[in-house]
Amino acid sequence: SQQGEEDPQALSIQEGENATMNCSYKTSINNLQWYRQNSGRGLVHLILIRSNEREKHSGRLRVTLDTSKKSSSLLITASRAADTASYFCATAGSGNTPLVFGKGTRLSVIA
Amino acid sequence: DAGVIQSPRHEVTEMGQEVTLRCKPISGHNSLFWYRQTMMRGLELLIYFNNNVPIDDSGMPEDRFSAKMPNASFSTLKIQPSEPRDSAVYFCASSFLGGDNQPQHFGDGTRLSIL
């Protein structure tokens, strides 16, 4: 069963604007991961945030995690046309359990 | 590192035919995952292996689907007989599963069309 639910399902913005995507989940997690999928390609890991972390940065990406609300957000600053892709959150339980992916947010950045 | 390699990239076949998808995981990874992606259902985990042993195949839709991992560097997903509703993109991913759930590395998928 899918645990992560991304919001919105689709987002269209102008180049240079910031894009924010949200993810909610239901059960306790060990970490939460964000992935990007370009059209016709596999998912690519972007960033991992552990359950004891609240915020993490990587380049133009900023991820927050609120375990009390069971939610995470991915912020892409100063978006570029090349950021156009689908973005997925995935939750990780403890030990050797597989990731559970959401259905993704389709981001379109218009030049 | 070449990453996860899947073959073929595209497969078009008639219903009733056997389909075999192949995957070479990243060397050193101990876990391999097969997913199916469709617009309607999103990304579904079909089966995953840990140290070449199938751990959870509850996502395999029917007995027509089977997967094997004869060694650490190769896995197959077979559909026999294939049906039009099996049309989807099938992804293989690998990772190192241990005390901390590590990121998965995906291949570029096999786009399967059953006519």
Side-chain angles (χ1 to χ4, degrees), chain A residues 10-85:
Chain A
L11 179 62
S12 184
I13 60 174
Q14 297 289 324
E15 202 167 31
E17 293 180 339
N18 295 341
T20 300
M21 289 159 271
N22 303 296
C23 170
S24 59
Y25 58 93
K26 296 188 175 74
T27 62
S28 63
I29 60 171
N30 181 289
N31 66 61
L32 185 144
Q33 303 175 24
W34 285 92
Y35 289 75
R36 182 186 71 223
Q37 183 180 29
N38 290 92
S39 180
R41 305 297 298 273
L43 280 70
V44 174
H45 177 257
L46 293 175
I47 195 165
L48 180 155
I49 186 165
R50 302 185 193 287
S51 59
N52 61 354
E53 297 175 311
R54 292 296 166 259
E55 189 171 310
K56 204 159 183 181
H57 296 255
S58 175
R60 292 183 298 111
L61 304 181
R62 174 179 167 245
V63 168
T64 62
L65 178 64
D66 186 335
T67 53
S68 66
K69 294 181 180 178
K70 291 187 169 57
S71 67
S72 172
S73 67
L74 170 67
L75 169 68
I76 304 175
T77 60
S79 63
R80 305 166 181 168
D83 295 328
T84 294

Side-chain angles (χ1 to χ4, degrees), chain B residues 7-8 10-11 22 31 36 38 41-43 45 52-53 64 73 76 80 83-84 90 92 96 100-101 107-108 113-114:
Chain B
S7 65
H10 303 274
E11 175 89 14
R22 297 173 176 79
S31 295
R36 177 172 69 178
T38 60
R41 301 172 72 92
L43 192 67
L45 176 64
N52 311 339
V53 176
R64 298 184 296 105
S73 59
T76 59
Q80 166 63 19
E83 296 182 4
Y90 290 81
C92 174
F96 186 85
D100 192 15
N101 213 314
D108 277 336
S113 297
I114 308 297

Side-chain angles (χ1 to χ4, degrees), chain B residues 14-33:
Chain B
E14 292 186 347
M15 66 177 293
Q17 298 297 308
E18 178 179 292
V19 173
T20 300
L21 311 181
R22 297 173 176 79
C23 176
K24 177 178 168 54
I26 290 174
S27 177
H29 283 179
N30 66 357
S31 295
L32 183 141
F33 308 82

